[in-house]
Amino acid sequence: MKNFLSPLALDSELRSPGLFGTASASGSRLFRPDYKFVRDDNQTEIAVEGLDVFIGTNHILKNINVTIPDKQITCIIGPSGCGKSTLLKTFNRLIDSVEGVKLSGKVVVNGEDIVNGQGDITRLRRKMGLVSQRPCPLPMSIFDNVAYGCRIHGIRNRKKLRMVVKFYLEAAGLWDEVKDRLNTPAVRLSIGQQQRLCLARSLAVEPQFILADEATSALDPISSKTIEELFVKLKDTYSIVMVTHTLRQALRIADNVIFMYLGEVVETGPAEKVFNDPQHELTKKYLSGAFS
């Protein structure tokens, strides 16, 4: 097991900033200004076994068996309506909000079956940072957007909140753009800035996973490229699961690929293998542009 420090450090104690850690005067690494999860790095983090999802009488997901590798970008690809977003929503049980939904099988997160177990859904969702298709900043200031989840989880110290806000705005590549207007409404940001703000807000509650559902589809090309570059950096620390309709995007950033068609997983594996040597005819046709 790795042990990570969760220091209540002053701003002056933070030196030589990196993306996810700063070195103290003694040379030890300080990982983040809030809480850092501890986990067994050898453990498969999300394992889906025999998952079926029905909404009413519609069989949406059919016998899904996949694993989400640690500290990689897993892209879920496939044509519209194939079940990509539904699969993503089972990982944090947001699927529960859909009327008439029924699940069977297993979704094992860090050894805990979240379909059949009695675990705390709030604790589960804290592990899952969600970045949705369109940014949804809260109707409050930039500062309060990032601090919102921390306050819900009991962090009230203003000095620590300032550290958290700065740290995650920097991680989301937004600090330099907003540091002089933290108290202005978040809705005044551009849509690309809003998406990075929502990413910072998700990271601030210390998730273990980032779930991105078409996170760049509403953005301009420059903002999309910025988000992609952030995800590539973030995978050093987080497991990222990304639904994308854009095959070119998956080709650029995916480490692992899940190709779905009509509610089934057709092919899954390392991106290089799937893209360069697909084993299934449907995969070959999709990659060639025969359908989308």
Side-chain angles (χ1 to χ4, degrees), residues 6-287:
S6 57
L8 295 176
L10 299 175
D11 286 338
S12 61
E13 291 178 306
L14 301 180
R15 295 177 173 84
S16 305
L19 183 61
F20 291 108
T22 54
S24 69
S26 63
S28 62
R29 296 290 286 179
L30 305 181
F31 283 82
R32 304 174 180 161
D34 49 349
Y35 169 81
K36 177 70 176 77
F37 52 80
V38 178
R39 64 186 178 188
D40 183 348
D41 282 344
N42 295 318
Q43 185 177 26
T44 298
E45 299 197 59
I46 300 180
V48 182
E49 303 173 13
L51 177 68
D52 286 273
V53 175
F54 289 83
I55 298 178
T57 58
N58 295 318
H59 197 177
I60 307 300
L61 296 182
K62 305 167 185 175
N63 192 32
I64 304 297
N65 295 277
V66 294
T67 58
I68 306 300
D70 187 21
K71 296 179 184 176
Q72 293 187 22
I73 298 175
T74 297
C75 284
I76 307 176
I77 63 173
S80 297
C82 68
K84 301 186 298 294
S85 293
T86 300
L87 177 59
L88 193 75
K89 290 175 183 176
T90 63
F91 297 156
N92 62 0
R93 293 300 298 268
L94 277 182
I95 193 68
D96 293 4
S97 63
V98 177
E99 185 176 356
V101 69
K102 294 181 181 178
L103 285 72
S104 62
K106 293 182 178 181
V107 178
V108 180
V109 179
N110 292 343
E112 178 183 351
D113 183 1
I114 65 171
V115 172
N116 303 294
Q118 301 297 320
D120 183 349
I121 293 297
T122 300
R123 181 174 58 85
L124 167 69
R125 288 177 179 162
R126 180 177 174 174
K127 295 179 181 180
M128 308 280 183
L130 180 64
V131 184
S132 57
Q133 183 173 5
R134 294 193 64 85
C136 301
L138 300 172
M140 54 185 66
S141 71
I142 294 168
F143 183 97
D144 288 337
N145 261 268
V146 182
Y148 182 78
C150 298
R151 288 177 171 136
I152 287 177
H153 290 289
I155 298 176
R156 296 286 187 269
N157 182 282
R158 185 72 179 180
K159 185 174 290 185
K160 188 172 185 185
L161 285 173
R162 286 199 302 269
M163 292 177 61
V164 169
V165 169
K166 180 181 179 183
F167 189 88
Y168 289 104
L169 286 174
E170 286 180 337
L174 194 56
W175 172 254
D176 288 339
E177 299 171 38
V178 302
K179 61 184 179 182
D180 297 323
R181 49 179 174 144
L182 293 176
N183 293 321
T184 60
V187 293
R188 294 183 185 174
L189 296 172
S190 70
I191 189 168
Q193 289 174 323
Q194 288 181 21
Q195 191 67 304
R196 283 182 283 153
L197 177 68
C198 292
L199 176 58
R201 187 178 68 205
S202 294
L203 296 178
V205 296
E206 271 301 299
Q208 187 174 348
F209 311 92
I210 299 172
L211 308 182
D213 192 0
E214 294 289 346
T216 64
S217 63
L219 306 182
D220 61 86
I222 294 175
S223 297
S224 295
K225 184 174 183 292
T226 299
I227 293 293
E228 287 182 14
E229 290 172 347
L230 284 170
F231 282 163
V232 171
K233 293 177 182 177
L234 290 166
K235 74 177 182 180
D236 288 341
T237 304
Y238 302 92
S239 302
I240 300 173
V241 190
M242 186 174 187
V243 167
T244 179
H245 282 294
T246 307
L247 184 56
R248 292 187 304 276
Q249 184 174 67
L251 285 164
R252 284 192 296 269
I253 67 173
D255 301 300
N256 189 62
V257 171
I258 299 170
F259 170 55
M260 298 185 66
Y261 185 77
L262 296 180
E264 299 182 22
V265 171
V266 176
E267 191 160 350
T268 184
E272 184 177 0
K273 174 70 174 176
V274 174
F275 289 143
N276 296 325
D277 186 25
Q279 300 299 299
H280 295 267
E281 191 63 29
L282 268 175
T283 314
K284 295 176 183 178
K285 288 182 177 180
Y286 181 75
L287 295 178

